[in-house]
Amino acid sequence: MRYGYFDDAAREYVIDRVDVPVSMTNYLGTQRMGTVISHNAGGYSWLDSPQHHRITRFRPNGVPMDWPGHYVYLRDDETGKFWSVSWQPTGLPLNEARYEARHGMSYSRYLCDYQDISAEQVLFIPREDGGEDPVEIFDVRIRNNSDRERKISVYGYVEFSFHEIDMDNQNFQMSLYAAGSHYEHDAALCELHYEPDAWQFFAGNFKPDSFDGVREAFIGSYHTERDPLGVSAGRLSGSTELGGNPCGALQKKLTLKPGEEARVLFYLGTGKGEAADRARQKYDEAGTDRAFAELRRFWDDKLGQLQVKTPHENMNRSLNIWNFYQSEVNVLFSRFSSFIEVGGRTGLGYRDTAQDAMCIPHGEPDMCMKRICQLLHGQMSQGYGLHLFDPAVLEKTEDNGFKSPTVIPEADKKGMLHGLKDACADDALWLIPAIVENVRESGDLSFFDKEIPYADEGKASVWDHMKAALDFSYSQVGSHGVTKGLRADWNDCLNLGGGESAMVAFLLVWATNHFLDAARALGRQEDISKYEALKKGMEETCRKELWDGAWFLRGFTAAGNPIGSSMATEGKVHMECNTWAVISGAADREQGLSCMDAVDEWLYTPWGLMLNAPSFVTLDDSIGFVTRVYPGVKENGAIFSHPNPWAWVAECMLGRGSRAMKFYDALLPENQNDKMEIRQAEPYSYCQFIMGRDHTAHGRARHPFMTGSSGWAYYAATRYMLGIRPGFDGLTVDPCVPADWDGFEAVRKWRGAEYRISVKNPNHVEKGVKRILTDGKETEKIPVYTDGVHEIEVILG
Ligand code: GLC
């Protein structure tokens, strides 16, 4: 069963059955302002921080789901009948009205057709030079398809937030008397009186026939967004108040001749009446068209950095459009704004941000570098990373936060630093490959010498920050010589403390590999010798202490008991340690083949690879919180998406392209478009997890968009399956594909040049490059070009 289909030419996902049982979301905005919006126009906006500067309100996890939103109502002024352009909130019977929603690259489009009136509402946030004047545009068109004149009213509606998410959700004794509504410059304005500069506006490109600024006046205390008083009455009451719940509701009356179409624009933005005037002026019809075309161009350019043409249609669709888009959204909005993470936190999760920034350096180089610099600043001089921190607080020179009238202690810089007790063993290690991948992309070796402060004291070059991370991890070892698990490793629910984590040991080896690659590019001999020796020691320890006979242990508890051994009846085989044993290169080939066979045997399901199996059922705090999680859910035996691509990389490193593709295909959301009765989540977005075999809802996906699986899926598929990897001194093309592929093509832009790559597989192998032709000439390597278009032919065999 399906609810929609892919329109690749438009780069849209089309939901033609809008009564989806779950929200299908999209993200608007590419700079400071963002909106997360559903297929029914439910959702919310923010500026910079979804926690501290919420523009519109959302009632998360409620029924009806996803209310309120950024709505447009239509009313037939002759009959009094009204409906919304998105199916919700009015929810007309779907046998009477036709509805469709289209999610595109940073815009969403809603279409309806009812009683010979068709309408369309496009929501998007224009890109701004310098990122000023953030405004969301509602571009609405209404057409009279009947053969008589029609009188139709159009109403735009938003419910404003009290700015601070906490103020929206608790302790109304202050907030209800601090947010006021005004009507000036033909715009509904919302003010938070505590913050003189924080105003919001909702305006149209017209003089409204009526307006409301108070939510209760527009909706009514015993009504909902489904049947607002204001719309059913046909005239809004002109309400404003100092205090209460501000909203923006504007009416525009239209008379449409047969066949006539009208266009109405609404603007939701930050600022007072003058800002509304500016929006009107800048985004009149022509300005709106220009801004929309510019948004399209922005995505064309971005997506054009790497386009692939493989024999696998859904892989093309994913890598060329949706997977890349999702990865971009993650870097941009960094995880805390969705319908699940409803903006209750601000700041960066160390490991998540580092991995996001590692995976798409070609797509969002500036943003990735910005994130990396923030993370470097969020590193303690001892070498570990602050697990969750707000860069704005670290960078704060003077007070710039919101002042609450009820005394809520504010986090200061000191309060954000944490000790070893709260350090996660993996956090800062991810930063090393993230830095190195970004420098491979840009070629800017001088970045390694940039000085950046530590979170607590002192400053150091980026190079020394990386060494601090490595030194920290090499020193934090337990009784077997394996790195400690500390508060958690990548797995939040594996809380080993002084116990040891195989995953971190292998990750440390991998991070060292990246570091050594950079050290060689820079010729830093002393560092090469030191870290090669440390790495060798750790690899030997891992091979000896962690090998269980057929696969690798997940680690040891603080008391020295093995986790993930063949003797265990629960939590027997784990994904993280076995995939990373191979990715790091620490496992020998026999071990690698065997442990990945165990992954296939124990963890494979048609929906993806489970994190561990069988799920834990016995509470054991020496292993961690994972043993308190329902079997088959999240970290306990679910198909946790994020590590799935690790298995694709591992299989590619072992040369098993068909196996990598089998794993890839199981998780690929686009492959599940017709299985929505089971998947129950967007088929254009990787989800954080999918219920595992030990859960009754096996196959149900949860938590779309904001997940590290996206970046990693993209990274694994492009760099290992298709094998296109920029290096310090050349481009590697070393694919690992199913043997039945004849080849594939790709266009990769890198350091000012365009590489037109054509991979041929005449002997139908899974891996192995026989010949490389660069611009027609046989070469050993593909060099770095700084301009021009270059034809690269790679022949496998
Ligand atoms: C969540 C967290 C991430 C963690 C993962 C596994 O996705 O955001 O940091 O690695 O869960 O526990």
Side-chain angles (χ1 to χ4, degrees), residues 335-336 341 345 349-353 355 387 426-427 430 488-494 576 611 634-635 640 642-643 646 688 703 706-709:
R335 303 293 183 88
F336 292 141
E341 295 107 339
R345 289 199 298 198
Y350 208 96
R351 75 163 77 92
D352 294 354
T353 307
Q355 290 171 83
H387 187 60
D426 65 324
D427 276 335
W430 295 109
D489 61 15
W490 166 87
N491 187 328
D492 278 334
C493 299
L494 200 83
E576 303 98 311
L611 193 54
K634 299 226 357 148
E635 281 89 342
F640 212 92
H642 186 143
W646 300 345
Q688 189 200 60
H703 305 181
M706 295 283 146
T707 154
S709 22

Side-chain angles (χ1 to χ4, degrees), residues 174-195:
M174 306 300 287
S175 41
L176 266 178
Y177 312 101
S181 43
H182 304 257
Y183 188 74
E184 286 164 22
H185 294 244
D186 298 327
L189 304 179
C190 162
E191 162 205 27
L192 191 66
H193 203 56
Y194 299 148
E195 288 182 276

Side-chain angles (χ1 to χ4, degrees), residues 330-377:
N330 271 281
V331 172
L332 185 63
F333 294 126
S334 207
R335 303 293 183 88
F336 292 141
S337 36
S338 71
F339 286 5
I340 305 297
E341 295 107 339
V342 271
R345 289 199 298 198
T346 292
L348 303 176
Y350 208 96
R351 75 163 77 92
D352 294 354
T353 307
Q355 290 171 83
D356 291 347
M358 177 187 86
C359 294
I360 52 159
H362 63 300
E364 192 70 71
D366 296 345
M367 193 50 123
C368 289
M369 286 313 285
K370 177 177 161 189
R371 293 288 183 231
I372 284 171
C373 290
Q374 289 170 328
L375 293 173
L376 283 159
H377 193 180

Side-chain angles (χ1 to χ4, degrees), residues 38-269:
S38 81
H39 64 291
N40 278 317
Y44 61 92
S45 299
W46 66 91
L47 181 71
D48 295 327
S49 159
Q51 180 181 13
H52 299 306
H53 195 152
R54 184 66 70 89
I55 297 171
T56 48
R57 183 172 290 157
F58 191 59
R59 288 185 274 283
N61 195 21
V63 279
M65 65 177 190
D66 306 344
W67 285 19
H70 295 189
Y71 297 139
V72 172
Y73 295 91
L74 301 179
R75 179 177 186 274
D76 185 327
D77 285 333
E78 284 156 356
T79 63
K81 184 90 198 164
F82 62 87
W83 63 101
S84 44
V85 180
S86 46
W87 179 51
Q88 294 296 318
T90 52
L92 286 187
L94 288 173
N95 55 0
E96 291 175 22
R98 211 184 81 74
Y99 276 96
E100 188 175 287
R102 289 175 166 257
H103 285 319
M105 306 286 102
S106 302
Y107 69 88
S108 288
R109 187 189 298 276
Y110 305 91
L111 297 132
C112 75
D113 205 335
Y114 180 58
Q115 295 190 339
D116 291 327
I117 299 292
S118 56
E120 178 189 278
Q121 170 189 357
V122 181
L123 296 177
F124 75 103
I125 297 171
R127 287 185 56 73
E128 287 284 340
D129 301 336
E132 301 120 16
D133 263 1
V135 53
E136 182 182 308
I137 299 181
F138 299 28
D139 186 357
V140 184
R141 289 164 203 262
I142 309 108
R143 191 184 155 82
N144 175 6
N145 296 319
S146 72
D147 50 15
R148 63 194 167 84
E149 192 174 271
R150 304 286 290 271
K151 292 198 181 312
I152 303 289
S153 277
V154 187
Y155 302 81
Y157 174 69
V158 292
E159 179 175 338
F160 288 114
S161 154
F162 293 144
H163 274 197
E164 282 289 306
I165 183 157
D166 286 352
M167 286 176 64
D168 266 0
N169 290 327
Q170 60 183 325
N171 195 1
F172 298 109
Q173 53 134 344
M174 306 300 287
S175 41
L176 266 178
Y177 312 101
S181 43
H182 304 257
Y183 188 74
E184 286 164 22
H185 294 244
D186 298 327
L189 304 179
C190 162
E191 162 205 27
L192 191 66
H193 203 56
Y194 299 148
E195 288 182 276
D197 298 327
W199 288 64
Q200 304 300 149
F201 68 83
F202 188 59
N205 65 337
F206 52 87
K207 186 165 182 58
D209 289 292
S210 68
F211 69 89
D212 263 318
V214 176
R215 182 187 68 180
E216 282 67 20
F218 176 74
I219 302 234
S221 293
Y222 289 98
H223 289 249
T224 68
E225 287 82 354
R226 178 153 291 163
D227 56 349
L229 276 183
V231 177
S232 56
R235 183 160 183 82
L236 307 181
S237 69
S239 57
T240 60
E241 191 183 308
L242 297 184
N245 284 295
C247 75
L250 303 172
Q251 179 190 27
K252 165 82 182 147
K253 290 186 179 179
L254 299 172
T255 303
L256 295 173
K257 295 199 189 63
E260 191 182 344
E261 183 177 282
R263 188 174 180 190
V264 174
L265 300 166
F266 294 96
Y267 313 100
L268 168 67

